[in-house]
Amino acid sequence: MKTINFINKVLLSFVMVGLSAQAQTKDTGIETKQMVENSLELFKQLSNDIALDEEFNYRKELKASRAEQTMFYFRDTKISKTQLLRHFKRAARSSDNSIQFKTYFLERQLYFINKLDRKTLSGVYDAMRSKTLNGYLDILAVFAATDQIMPTMVRS
């Protein structure tokens, strides 16, 4: 009889440990889902801030992100704000339009970029592109073309 009671207690303890582990797994799943949702909202807010800020200063934002150490948790990856800003800059530097900008992220399997609407994506690209060498050269090309057009218009 003592043996049966002992076996029952051992089995009961295994069942309790199993239920406890299952409950912890469910809690972390809910917590992880909440972290992903919060990160997605923070990512969208950061992207909107970059896109709408005409005086966006990449270097200042990068320096602040190093001090903050903010992390973004997405379903397929985890990335810091510093890494995200660097990706934005590299993508803008290596692309000629917002479609190539988005392709940069998709080639690196950073699918969170799909969560941004077209207008925000274009704004982020423009803000980041304007602070690159190619962006400065694009602006100079526009001014050079304008200077060639203006004298002919004045003479008419």
Side-chain angles (χ1 to χ4, degrees):
M1 192 68 166
K2 289 182 182 180
T3 307
I4 294 173
N5 285 337
F6 177 73
I7 292 173
N8 284 338
K9 288 180 183 178
V10 170
L11 289 175
L12 184 61
S13 64
F14 282 135
V15 169
M16 294 302 288
V17 169
L19 290 175
S20 174
Q22 185 178 10
Q24 289 175 356
T25 304
K26 288 182 180 178
D27 289 343
T28 57
I30 293 169
E31 185 177 302
T32 304
K33 184 177 179 183
Q34 188 66 32
M35 287 172 48
V36 168
E37 290 173 2
N38 290 342
S39 293
L40 185 58
E41 289 303 315
L42 287 173
F43 170 67
K44 287 181 179 179
Q45 183 62 43
L46 173 67
S47 300
N48 282 332
D49 291 346
I50 292 171
L52 297 176
D53 187 4
E54 293 180 11
E55 298 297 321
F56 177 73
N57 188 338
Y58 170 75
R59 291 181 186 270
K60 183 178 176 183
E61 191 70 28
L62 187 66
K63 186 175 182 178
S65 72
R66 288 183 188 135
E68 291 172 9
Q69 297 181 349
T70 303
M71 294 296 292
F72 294 99
Y73 299 93
F74 300 104
R75 277 189 295 137
D76 53 352
T77 188
K78 177 177 88 168
I79 190 168
S80 70
K81 185 176 178 182
T82 305
Q83 291 171 325
L84 180 67
L85 289 170
R86 287 180 178 165
H87 276 297
F88 279 160
K89 188 69 163 191
R90 284 185 196 128
R93 192 179 316 129
S94 65
S95 56
D96 294 327
N97 56 37
S98 61
I99 295 169
Q100 290 177 355
F101 181 76
K102 184 176 182 178
T103 304
Y104 169 90
F105 287 93
L106 298 178
E107 287 173 351
R108 285 155 184 78
Q109 299 176 350
L110 301 172
Y111 298 113
F112 54 83
I113 200 73
N114 289 328
K115 301 296 182 183
L116 296 179
D117 59 66
R118 195 176 294 172
K119 183 178 179 183
T120 303
L121 188 67
S122 179
V124 171
Y125 167 73
D126 291 339
M128 290 294 182
R129 177 73 175 190
S130 67
K131 304 299 182 197
T132 64
L133 176 63
N134 291 333
Y136 290 128
L137 294 175
D138 291 344
I139 292 170
L140 287 176
V142 168
F143 282 127
T146 307
D147 289 344
Q148 291 174 359
I149 294 171
M150 292 304 282
T152 57
M153 292 175 66
V154 172
R155 292 180 195 157
S156 299

